[in-house]
Amino acid sequence: MSAATELPSAATAAGLPAVTMYGIEGPLWPVLETLGAAEESTLFREAVACARAFECDPAVIGVSCHLLAVATVGAC
């Protein structure tokens, strides 16, 4: 198993409802790191757009270096 499959199960087991998973860096993070892309570069902006497009895609989440599980409990 991977963290992408274990984290939602752990959150649900802890009683958190409707867990949504996000891949934080997206599938291009190794490219950006290798190239040393600056935040103001076109490559960086395109990579951010790619990360946003795939941040909840279960087939791609596991490629992200960091994961985020979000659950909403009750109303404010």
Side-chain angles (χ1 to χ4, degrees):
M1 282 213 181
S2 69
T5 57
E6 291 174 4
L7 186 54
S9 298
T12 302
L16 297 174
V19 176
T20 303
M21 292 291 299
Y22 293 93
I24 301 301
E25 294 172 319
L28 293 179
W29 69 269
V31 174
L32 294 175
E33 191 171 284
T34 300
L35 296 176
E39 287 187 31
E40 63 277 356
S41 71
T42 301
L43 176 60
F44 186 86
R45 287 191 302 271
E46 293 298 323
V48 168
C50 179
R52 286 185 179 138
F54 291 104
E55 68 186 359
C56 291
D57 186 333
V60 183
I61 285 177
V63 179
S64 279
C65 187
H66 298 94
L67 302 174
L68 175 67
V70 177
T72 303
V73 180
C76 294

